[in-house]
């Protein structure tokens, strides 16, 4: 098992944002995390990535207890995370943004090769010299994914990656994720249910800070509990 959590919980000023989550992610899987706004998904991922300290519980990465490790140490172990809100360096060029990420895994002349490779993969090769802040929002999301790929992660966590993408770009994104799954395990937090159902091998549904259901796309579609809590409202319900 590449990633596991046991009893993972977080309280904010008495509010239980996440409560007792047990979660397992095998190597090589595309796993989606879905649920209505306020379900606790982003808080859970924040604890997995080391950006939020848990109130209780443990996080295990490839069998190692990383609960107390800071985010940068988890990145060195092979975990990469793209944010729900884009976090590119606006005044740096697209290539410079990717270079900052690539230097964690590549050295010297390798960095330029990595830049060219990952920008080609996400469909931004012609934006290489453009300032990141001048990109359309959807292209900033793709740049952030490129920065994640440049780290050559073992686990790539994508938080709302298709937000701001045009329909044609979403099709390209699906091809990209299937390709990436050959080399990395992927945890996808996503509001677009068409994307989730097409890409994910397994889906975890959260509601009120706890796991409501887990299963294959077919099992999740058929779940009455999930229909009542989430899918019954709108097929493209927003994640939170």
């Amino acid at each position: 098992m590449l990633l596991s959590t046991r009893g993972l919980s977080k309280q904010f000023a008495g509010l239980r944002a996440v409560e007792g989550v047990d979660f397992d992610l095998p190597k090589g899987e595309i796993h989606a995390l879905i649920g209505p706004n306020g379900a606790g998904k982003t808080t859970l991922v924040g604890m997995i990535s080391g950006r939020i300290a848990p109130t209780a519980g443990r996080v295990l990465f490839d069998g190692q207890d990383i609960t107390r490790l800071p985010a940068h140490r988890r990145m060195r172990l092979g975990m990469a995370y793209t944010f729900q809100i884009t976090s590119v360096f606006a005044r740096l060029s697209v290539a410079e943004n990717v270079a900052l990420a690539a230097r964690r895994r590549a050295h010297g002349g390798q960095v330029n090769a990595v830049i060219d490779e990952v920008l080609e993969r996400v469909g931004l090769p012609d934006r290489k010299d453009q300032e990141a802040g001048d990109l359309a929002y959807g292209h900033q999301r793709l740049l952030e994914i490129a920065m994640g790929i440049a780290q050559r992660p073992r686990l790539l966590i994508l938080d709302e990656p298709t937000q701001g993408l045009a329909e044609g770009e979403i099709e390209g994104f699906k091809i990209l994720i299937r390709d990436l799954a050959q080399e990395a395990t992927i945890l996808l937090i996503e509001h677009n249910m068409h994307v989730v159902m097409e890409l994910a091998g397994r889906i975890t549904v959260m509601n009120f800070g706890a796991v409501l259901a887990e299963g294959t796309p077919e099992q999740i579609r058929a779940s009455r509990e999930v229909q009542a809590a989430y899918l019954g409202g709108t097929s493209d319900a927003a994640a939170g």
Side-chain angles (χ1 to χ4, degrees):
M1 201 63 62
L2 182 63
L3 175 72
S4 298
T5 72
R6 291 294 177 267
L8 204 59
S9 304
K10 182 63 181 180
Q11 293 187 13
F12 295 104
L15 173 68
R16 293 181 175 180
V18 173
E19 183 67 24
V21 170
D22 293 342
F23 175 76
D24 290 305
L25 178 55
K27 293 177 182 176
E29 186 169 278
I30 301 175
H31 195 115
L33 185 61
I34 68 171
N37 274 334
K41 303 180 299 299
T42 295
T43 301
L44 175 63
V45 170
M47 290 189 286
I48 289 170
S49 64
R51 299 179 188 282
I52 298 174
T55 305
R58 295 189 301 150
V59 181
L60 304 171
F61 189 66
D62 206 10
Q64 177 182 345
D65 191 329
I66 62 168
T67 310
R68 303 300 166 200
L69 285 186
H72 70 274
R73 292 278 302 279
R74 299 185 198 204
M75 290 170 70
R76 286 180 197 161
L77 292 175
M79 192 181 289
Y81 175 43
T82 71
F83 293 85
Q84 185 174 8
I85 299 171
T86 185
S87 61
V88 300
F89 296 95
R91 298 202 173 188
L92 297 182
S93 71
V94 167
E96 287 168 334
N97 270 271
V98 176
L100 287 173
R103 287 190 187 111
R104 296 190 178 109
R105 294 281 174 174
H107 304 283
Q110 294 177 326
V111 172
N112 288 333
V114 171
I115 292 168
D116 291 338
E117 175 199 341
V118 299
L119 289 181
E120 185 69 40
R121 290 181 82 174
V122 302
L124 295 178
D126 57 338
R127 307 278 182 173
K128 186 175 178 179
D129 297 320
Q130 188 172 346
E131 275 195 14
D134 291 339
L135 293 175
Y137 184 77
H139 287 167
Q140 290 186 26
R141 302 297 290 169
L142 292 173
L143 172 55
E144 225 186 3
I145 294 170
M147 292 165 70
I149 299 170
Q151 296 172 49
R152 297 178 184 167
R154 298 164 66 197
L155 171 63
L156 180 59
I157 304 172
L158 301 172
D159 198 347
E160 298 275 18
T162 67
Q163 188 176 1
L165 297 187
E167 196 59 42
E169 291 169 334
I170 289 176
E171 290 305 310
F173 170 80
K174 289 187 285 192
I175 294 169
L176 171 65
I177 293 304
R178 292 189 185 103
D179 182 46
L180 286 174
Q182 307 302 310
E183 59 202 62
T185 303
I186 295 170
L187 178 57
L188 182 67
I189 302 90
E190 179 56 59
H191 73 285
N192 187 319
M193 292 308 301
H194 300 296
V195 170
V196 168
M197 294 297 178
E198 285 186 43
L199 287 179
R202 290 184 69 78
I203 300 169
T204 296
V205 186
M206 289 188 70
N207 198 28
F208 297 114
V211 174
L212 175 67
E214 185 173 299
T216 64
E218 293 75 20
Q219 290 169 330
I220 294 303
R221 272 199 194 100
S223 168
R224 291 184 178 180
E225 283 184 314
V226 176
Q227 287 286 344
Y230 184 48
L231 296 181
T234 168
S235 63
D236 287 321

